[in-house]
Amino acid sequence: MGLKEKRVLKEFQDEHYENYKKQVNEAAKFDVNMEVDWDSIAIEDSSHLYFECWPKVYFQPLIQALQSITADDMGAEALKENLKGIVIKNTSDCANASRWSQFENGIITLDHKPTTNVDQINDRAKTLQSQLEDGL
């Protein structure tokens, strides 16, 4: 990761990440442990896309899926009892909304290319929602 990517990454972390983390916690209705593998999502020569793409690829579909799950007390309780954490990364070369997420052993893993198929927000949210509904 070059200096350009490091600067934009730091700006995102300092000025935007906490807001997205807050939105995730509000959607989940409790404080969720969330880990982001920044090195894997900060791909070379794409720093000009981070502010647009990271929210659309990772945070918006996650928040949308969690809001759907916690829309009623039963879902909110099931999520709180079973969700141990969230991991965001880009290690599998995945750009497919139907394969971007997993829910295993209480951990949501979101693994998707950060700048590919960016606008498939609803598709990613539906996939994650379905996995959570099956796993809770």
Side-chain angles (χ1 to χ4, degrees):
M1 178 183 344
L3 181 59
K4 185 187 311 182
E5 289 83 12
K6 289 177 184 176
R7 284 179 171 153
V8 177
L9 167 61
K10 180 160 178 28
E11 182 181 352
F12 186 90
Q13 289 172 322
D14 291 348
E15 297 179 19
H16 300 278
Y17 176 70
E18 284 305 316
N19 182 47
Y20 287 115
K21 175 74 168 100
K22 179 181 176 187
Q23 290 178 54
V24 167
N25 289 339
E26 288 172 357
K29 299 191 177 178
F30 72 101
D31 288 343
V32 181
N33 179 36
M34 189 159 63
E35 298 175 27
V36 180
D37 181 352
W38 297 106
D39 290 339
S40 71
I41 68 170
I43 58 176
E44 291 277 334
D45 300 321
S46 296
S47 60
H48 62 287
L49 298 172
Y50 295 170
F51 289 94
E52 175 190 355
C53 294
W54 289 349
K56 289 181 176 182
V57 172
Y58 304 111
F59 299 107
Q60 291 174 11
L62 172 61
I63 291 163
Q64 189 175 325
L66 293 175
Q67 287 172 333
S68 295
I69 294 297
T70 62
D72 61 27
D73 290 341
M74 183 182 294
E77 289 172 20
L79 190 70
K80 188 171 184 175
E81 289 174 9
N82 294 285
L83 180 59
K84 296 177 180 133
I86 300 167
V87 175
I88 295 174
K89 61 184 180 174
N90 170 39
T91 60
S92 67
D93 203 36
C94 176
N96 187 321
S98 66
R99 295 191 320 252
W100 86 296
S101 59
Q102 293 182 335
F103 180 59
E104 294 179 349
N105 301 318
I107 305 294
I108 294 172
T109 302
L110 308 178
D111 193 347
H112 193 282
K113 289 182 175 182
T115 59
T116 305
N117 295 329
V118 174
D119 291 320
Q120 293 181 348
I121 298 165
N122 292 334
D123 295 336
R124 284 189 293 276
K126 287 177 186 175
T127 296
L128 179 56
Q129 178 184 344
S130 178
Q131 290 171 335
L132 289 170
E133 288 171 340
D134 290 345
L136 293 175

